[in-house]
């Protein structure tokens, strides 16, 4: 089951609805790319607003990874294909209750980039700027952006892989399982919007022990056009 796909035309992500034969609760999976076209995030926000509960990544603020990519694109003047922006969905403005498996930053600072985000920027921007200066915008096509339900994303360093993927995947899956247990008799849509690398674990949990199945005909959204 493909969650994101790359072609000569660009990078797309899918919106998948998972249903259970014995429960009215539905999970709406939104594997997200942390940088993309402005209308990509507008469409995601519209779909989130139609749900009754949101499970979201990190905190209510901008993606440091997406901001690093966009900053490098601007520094190297990679304009072909139209403007790209970093993910910055205002969950509070959606008016939908939101659960943060990763935890959230202090009240009053929801929309600010935390210290860890600034560290990400300091480390990523120089590397990405050099890479794009050499390879141009086409280097995006060479990134590991294609994710399916059987993907096993890995980071370069074992410690980062454990902290950024494995532990966070466990927290995310535990949250999904808890929502199923507590609210399985409610007729609600629960959106799960996370970086695409985290969604294979959720798909396997839903289709495995929880007994959910995806509806046919997921909706594809264009994130980046090459």
């Amino acid at each position: 089951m493909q969650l994101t796909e790359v072609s000569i035309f660009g990078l797309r992500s899918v919106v998948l609805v998972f249903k259970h034969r014995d429960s009215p609760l539905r999970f709406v999976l939104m594997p997200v790319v942390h940088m993309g076209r402005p209308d990509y995030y507008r469409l995601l926000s519209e779909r989130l607003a139609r749900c009754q509960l949101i499970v979201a990544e990190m905190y209510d603020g901008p993606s440091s990874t997406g901001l690093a990519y966009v900053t490098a694109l601007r520094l190297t003047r990679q304009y072909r294909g139209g403007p790209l922006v970093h993910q910055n969905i205002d969950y509070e403005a959606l008016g939908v209750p939101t659960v943060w498996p990763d935890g959230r930053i202090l009240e009053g600072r929801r929309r600010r980039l935390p210290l860890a985000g600034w560290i990400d920027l300091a480390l990523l921007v120089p590397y990405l700027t050099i890479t794009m200066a050499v390879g141009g915008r086409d280097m995006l096509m060479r990134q590991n952006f294609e994710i399916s339900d059987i993907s096993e994303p890995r980071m370069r360093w074992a410690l980062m892989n454990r902290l950024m993927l494995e532990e966070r995947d466990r927290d995310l899956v535990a949250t999904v399982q808890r929502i199923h247990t507590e609210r399985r008799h409610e007729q609600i849509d629960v959106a799960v919007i996370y970086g695409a690398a985290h969604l294979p674990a959720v798909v396997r949990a839903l289709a495995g022990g929880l007994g959910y199945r995806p509806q046919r005909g997921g909706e594809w959204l264009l994130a980046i056009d090459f």
Side-chain angles (χ1 to χ4, degrees):
M1 182 187 310
Q2 204 68 28
L3 302 175
T4 61
E5 67 172 20
V6 178
S7 70
I8 61 172
F9 302 107
L11 168 61
R12 301 194 302 169
S13 69
V14 71
V15 177
L16 285 172
V17 177
F18 278 72
K19 299 180 65 176
H20 196 289
R21 61 180 298 178
D22 299 321
S23 170
L25 185 150
R26 306 194 309 173
F27 284 96
V28 183
L29 269 54
M30 301 182 186
V32 71
V33 181
H34 293 312
M35 68 167 178
R37 296 156 46 111
D39 61 328
Y40 173 64
Y41 297 111
R42 177 180 56 79
L43 291 172
L44 285 171
S45 296
E46 290 175 358
R47 283 147 184 78
L48 288 169
R50 297 201 292 263
C51 295
Q52 286 70 55
L53 180 67
I54 298 172
V55 179
E57 184 174 13
M58 297 298 285
Y59 67 102
D60 195 353
S63 162
S64 58
T65 301
L67 183 55
Y69 271 93
V70 170
T71 300
L73 285 168
R74 290 172 179 167
L75 289 174
T76 55
R77 299 180 180 274
Q78 305 294 331
Y79 299 127
R80 180 170 57 83
L84 299 178
V85 299
H86 60 281
Q87 178 187 342
N88 194 10
I89 297 171
D90 189 346
Y91 293 95
E92 187 176 32
L94 296 175
V96 179
T98 303
V99 176
W100 310 90
D102 295 318
R104 63 186 307 166
I105 61 178
L106 296 175
E107 191 71 22
R109 292 177 58 84
R110 285 191 294 262
R111 302 294 301 157
R112 300 181 188 180
L113 196 66
L115 176 60
W118 289 111
I119 294 174
D120 282 346
L121 281 176
L123 295 174
L124 280 174
V125 169
Y127 165 75
L128 292 173
T129 300
I130 294 172
T131 303
M132 291 180 189
V134 174
R137 187 174 174 132
D138 289 339
M139 59 81 59
L140 294 174
M141 294 185 66
R142 297 191 291 273
Q143 301 298 304
N144 189 24
F145 280 132
E146 281 208 333
I147 302 290
S148 74
D149 62 315
I150 60 173
S151 295
E152 294 288 351
R154 289 288 183 268
M155 300 190 74
R156 182 170 300 176
W157 298 285
L159 176 61
M160 293 299 293
N161 193 76
R162 179 172 63 82
L163 294 176
M164 299 304 293
L165 288 175
E166 295 175 6
E167 292 186 3
R168 293 177 60 210
D169 283 359
R170 284 196 293 269
D171 291 339
L172 172 57
V173 168
T175 299
V176 169
Q177 292 170 334
R178 176 175 55 80
I179 291 171
H180 164 77
T181 299
E182 295 176 354
R183 308 191 66 171
R184 61 178 300 174
H185 301 298
E186 300 181 41
Q187 190 169 351
I188 60 173
D189 283 351
V190 179
V192 180
I193 179 166
Y194 254 69
H198 297 280
L199 269 292
V202 177
V203 172
R204 291 192 287 266
L206 288 174
L210 296 182
Y212 284 81
R213 294 292 181 267
Q215 285 186 313
R216 293 183 177 179
E219 180 182 6
W220 287 93
L221 304 179
L222 181 63
I224 302 172
D225 47 355
F226 297 139

